[in-house]
Amino acid sequence: MKSVEYFKAFVSRNIDQLIYSLNPQKKSPFFPVRIHIEPTNTCNLRCVHCHHNDLGKSRPWTRNLGCMELDVYKKIIDEISEYGCEITLDNQGEPMLHKDFMEMVSYAKFKGVFTSVLTNGTRLSNDLSAKLIELKLDRIVFSFDSIIKEEYEKIRVGANFETTLWNMMNYLKMNYEAGSPTFSTLSVIPQDLNESGLEKYRSFFESIPVSSIFFSSLLNLSGYSGISEEITLDNLKCKSRKRPICRIPWENIVINHDGEVSICPLDVNLSYSAGNVKDSSLLSIWNNRRYQDFRQGHLAGDYSKIEAAGDLCSQCNCLYDPEYDLQNYTEFSKNDLTRKAAQVFSKPKAAHDKKILKVKYETLIHIMDRFPESILEL
């Protein structure tokens, strides 16, 4: 029943936002459902599509590296738990590098907060997996871009293919054996380096107990990505007849490791801060002057205030993606509700579905028993 009530509240909020999107204003009456929290902006990899990759970058990345203080994190959780929000531990680094990562997950779960983690999977040990599953982590997203070793290691620079894949499969195995408390997602970014193996990727992961596979967009991070020069706005602009209004300023809060609040998770250099949670509540920040100016900039198509400290929205290739267009919110809403329903009601009830899931588990065990030779045979 708790899941049903949670989903009903999510649907209600989604409908309210859909109606509001027909006539958006610079003040938002709806506090965001999803909150991004950055435990750390350090990373152990140098992925080619990321700002952490130093190769061929045309713009400098100048933010200080660091980790969020645990008391700051708990202050955030204490506040948002009152509003029924859900969190994702992610943003500009690998969250599992934080020394208090497990305590962060544990505290959020203790406060009844739906908790998701985005990870590259390289630090996911057997013990860590067991603890996350015991805590009933709600959702885990594995960033994993190819089932072909050479492709994967060219994209995820610094990662070992076999080790990372084993970590992921082991989590999926343990998760199934525990009754599948965690909704598991594979996130892949299609690009030139993995284009030829995408069907093999889909076929492999659909054969084992993964909840969903998500094909992400290749983002230029407003010029900070290692592959920025390969992405042009013209590729997306030509598909749009009108200037879009990005939905993110009406739906999004990102708290960086130092407490600074970003409006957009792609603001990797924090060129536009809306405030700091060390000094203010998130509720007061949500409609402060900085947030209102950002929204007004999108409503008016004038980014002068937004970009006073550097390019951001004008150079973002998300701008013309229908998924992010507030004026296309009807389609986004349909997709969003479908994804949320899959998360909330992911456990199969029909005997036929349970049988299929069991077959996928047995396939996974067979692959793991003969790993890594079984992967080479794909």
Side-chain angles (χ1 to χ4, degrees):
M1 189 64 181
K2 185 177 180 180
S3 295
V4 173
E5 293 302 317
Y6 174 81
F7 185 66
K8 285 173 65 177
F10 185 88
V11 171
S12 177
R13 170 66 170 79
N14 204 290
I15 292 172
D16 288 341
Q17 186 73 16
L18 176 59
I19 295 171
Y20 174 79
S21 69
L22 300 175
N23 185 31
Q25 306 295 317
K26 63 182 182 179
K27 291 188 70 173
S28 171
F30 309 115
F31 193 73
V33 172
R34 299 181 178 96
I35 309 291
H36 293 267
I37 301 177
E38 179 185 81
T40 179
N41 64 340
T42 61
C43 191
N44 57 332
L45 303 185
R46 296 294 180 264
C47 304
V48 295
H49 48 260
C50 181
H51 59 284
H52 281 285
N53 187 311
D54 295 326
L55 302 175
K57 281 174 34 176
S58 58
R59 302 176 67 189
W61 185 55
T62 58
R63 281 199 65 203
N64 292 329
L65 298 175
C67 294
M68 181 174 284
E69 299 166 8
L70 192 58
D71 59 344
V72 173
Y73 173 82
K74 289 183 176 181
K75 177 180 182 292
I76 296 166
I77 298 299
D78 288 343
E79 179 181 0
I80 66 175
S81 64
E82 300 297 318
Y83 308 133
C85 302
E86 57 185 61
I87 64 167
T88 298
L89 301 179
D90 65 349
N91 207 32
Q92 308 304 333
E94 168 52 50
M96 292 186 183
L97 293 177
H98 196 294
K99 65 181 180 64
D100 296 318
F101 169 74
M102 276 307 308
E103 189 168 353
M104 287 177 158
V105 175
S106 177
Y107 190 75
K109 292 293 297 179
F110 170 72
K111 298 292 285 189
V113 176
F114 183 101
T115 305
S116 177
V117 173
L118 174 63
T119 178
N120 59 37
T122 58
R123 301 296 292 261
L124 195 60
S125 66
N126 188 75
D127 287 345
L128 185 57
S129 294
K131 290 176 183 176
L132 289 173
I133 292 169
E134 182 181 356
L135 286 171
K136 299 186 184 331
L137 176 68
D138 296 286
R139 179 172 176 256
I140 191 166
V141 181
F142 297 109
S143 293
F144 195 84
D145 294 296
S146 180
I147 198 63
I148 301 171
K149 175 180 173 66
E150 292 76 15
E151 291 183 354
Y152 172 81
E153 293 183 353
K154 283 181 180 178
I155 296 171
R156 298 275 162 179
V157 179
N160 178 273
F161 173 77
E162 290 86 359
T163 300
T164 310
L165 181 57
W166 177 267
N167 291 347
M168 291 164 42
M169 293 193 301
N170 189 50
Y171 190 96
L172 297 173
K173 170 182 174 293
M174 297 171 69
N175 188 48
Y176 175 87
E177 292 170 350
S180 302
T182 304
F183 186 88
S184 55
T185 297
L186 265 292
S187 175
V188 55
I189 300 176
Q191 52 191 287
D192 290 345
L193 290 173
N194 65 359
E195 187 175 15
S196 64
L198 290 178
E199 283 307 311
K200 182 181 287 189
Y201 181 99
R202 186 194 295 272
S203 176
F204 174 77
F205 284 110
E206 286 182 347
S207 71
I208 62 177
V210 172
S211 305
S212 71
I213 301 171
F214 183 73
F215 287 82
S216 303
S217 300
L218 184 61
L219 306 177
N220 68 355
L221 304 179
S222 298
Y224 292 101
S225 166
I227 42 76
S228 292
E229 294 179 1
E230 299 176 21
I231 306 174
T232 63
L233 288 176
D234 291 337
N235 292 337
L236 294 172
K237 281 183 180 178
C238 65
K239 300 178 183 178
S240 178
R241 295 183 177 179
K242 58 184 179 180
R243 191 178 191 89
I245 300 173
C246 182
R247 64 175 171 80
I248 296 301
W250 284 268
E251 292 196 338
N252 206 77
I253 286 181
V254 180
I255 305 107
N256 293 277
H257 72 89
D258 51 6
E260 292 289 333
V261 174
S262 300
I263 295 175
C264 176
L266 303 184
D267 187 3
V268 299
N269 230 11
L270 194 57
S271 61
Y272 193 98
S273 174
N276 195 299
V277 293
K278 296 179 182 180
D279 310 317
S280 308
S281 69
L282 284 172
L283 186 61
S284 65
I285 291 173
W286 177 239
N287 273 314
N288 67 9
R289 177 55 55 190
R290 293 288 286 174
Y291 249 99
Q292 290 187 49
D293 285 348
F294 199 100
R295 294 182 187 124
Q296 184 58 38
H298 277 270
L299 290 172
D302 178 6
Y303 304 137
S304 56
K305 288 186 178 180
I306 295 174
E307 299 189 328
D311 291 340
L312 184 58
C313 300
S314 66
Q315 299 302 313
C316 178
N317 70 323
C318 274
L319 196 62
Y320 291 85
D321 187 334
E323 178 80 2
Y324 294 91
D325 188 355
L326 190 65
Q327 298 165 105
N328 191 50
Y329 200 86
T330 300
E331 289 304 311
F332 168 76
S333 179
K334 293 175 185 177
N335 295 332
D336 196 33
L337 288 171
T338 300
R339 289 190 289 259
K340 179 54 67 175
Q343 291 176 25
V344 175
F345 306 112
S346 60
K347 294 182 181 179
K349 295 181 179 180
H352 174 70
D353 293 334
K354 289 181 180 180
K355 184 177 180 179
I356 291 175
L357 188 60
K358 183 180 179 182
V359 170
K360 290 185 176 185
Y361 168 72
E362 291 170 349
T363 299
L364 176 62
I365 295 299
H366 180 70
I367 292 169
M368 293 180 72
D369 284 345
R370 300 177 55 248
F371 189 81
E373 289 78 9
S374 52
I375 299 298
L376 297 176
E377 296 169 2
L378 290 176

